[in-house]
Amino acid sequence: MKRIQSQFRKNWEHKLENLGFGYHSLEGLYWDESHYYEFSSEEINKIENATAELWQMCLQAVDYIIEKNLWDKFNIPEWFRNYIITSWEEDHPSIYGRFDFGFDGENLKLLEFNADTPTSLYEASVIQWYWLQEMFPYKDQFNSIHEKLVDYWTYLKKYMNPHYIYFASLTNIEDVTNVEYLRDCATQAGFETEFIPIQDIGWAEDIQEFIAGDRTVMEYIFKLYPYEWILQDGFGEKLISNNFRSQWMEPAWKILLSSKAILPILWEMFPNHPYLLECYFEPKHLKDYVKKPIYSREGANVSLFKNNIAIEENEGDYGKEGFIYQQLFNLPNFDGNYPVIGSWVIGQEAAGIGIRESVHLITNNQSRFIPHLIDSNKIYIKEKEL
């Protein structure tokens, strides 16, 4: 894994905006092609294998949580638990998720799993691919995200009827772009689709149905809106009253995997696994660790400790559900820039990566997206050993 200096393309902002990528520089530079990351084939194989194995471990963890009755660890209210269990037992489909990895060229460790509402999908799938085609058309990239999304929607079409899906999100440009991209993939797979702002989804009390603005009953709804917010908003009770006549994607069981509480559960199930960091619901013997809220977004309320002394922390409104404590992983330092690899699983398969880079140790909403490529002729790990 190398960080290599590059040049911004002429009229790069215009090129990105022509692709519908309008948030490249909203609060400072977000899309940053002044550098790129180069991987060897062996490194990409390692990331791909880890993603596939961790996904299977996470599926085992859902069974484990239900069997061991670990709901309190996730702060799931008692009245919502059977709804989650039913969505799991009926195999309600998961579309996608993003594992965030720390990788120093040798050690690859899971930092967290964005399982319910991951973003940075469009830039990982489309934007960095167009960058590669213009800058390095003779190189490759770990990126089959688009093809796998269309293929998975095509697969689901056999099991979904009617073939009409509402795609819902908040109305900020990043969420709308991501959900419109997912909508486009479903359209390419043959679905009829419609975007609706999440706040415009109605509830018809008389028939106990979720309805669109024209009072059409919504049978399939993809939401870019986390379940913990649905529970806080009071809509969780309506999901139960509706009894799955509206099927929501991602499914309710994904709330277990999107919570940071999954990290100590995985460590309990698979102690000393090479892809996991030691993790608990209390600090225990850890001296260098990260304290993360059970639920949080964009690094909010995350604190880093070395020798039990806080070295970096972010403010925020999260933490009332409790915290987990994870062994600190030393991210590679490239001239004061710290990359985190987001590795996508689409359906059941590893599909590609995107890289967020920060000048801070905690990745947050100011972190930049850096493109990547593969140089299959280089084997960096072996070079390092020599």
Side-chain angles (χ1 to χ4, degrees), residues 88-134:
W88 174 247
E89 291 179 344
E90 293 184 352
D91 198 21
H92 293 191
S94 160
I95 308 298
Y96 72 151
R98 193 193 74 227
F99 291 100
D100 284 351
F101 290 129
F103 184 43
D104 60 11
E106 294 184 15
N107 300 296
L108 181 72
K109 298 291 185 181
L110 174 65
L111 304 179
E112 57 190 57
F113 185 25
N114 295 277
D116 185 17
T117 57
T119 55
S120 79
L121 178 70
Y122 187 54
E123 46 271 47
S125 177
V126 174
I127 302 302
Q128 68 170 346
W129 179 253
Y130 274 88
W131 167 86
L132 183 78
Q133 296 312 303
E134 183 173 347

Side-chain angles (χ1 to χ4, degrees), residues 260-302:
K260 306 299 184 296
I262 193 62
L263 298 169
I265 297 296
L266 285 171
W267 183 256
E268 180 178 311
M269 293 177 67
F270 306 98
N272 301 309
H273 192 283
Y275 298 140
L276 298 179
L277 292 160
E278 200 171 351
C279 195
Y280 306 100
F281 287 100
E282 59 272 354
K284 288 198 171 182
H285 56 276
L286 298 176
K287 292 182 179 177
D288 301 339
Y289 60 90
V290 185
K291 179 183 176 185
K292 299 178 177 178
I294 296 293
Y295 297 101
S296 73
R297 306 268 145 189
E298 300 283 4
N301 300 100
V302 171

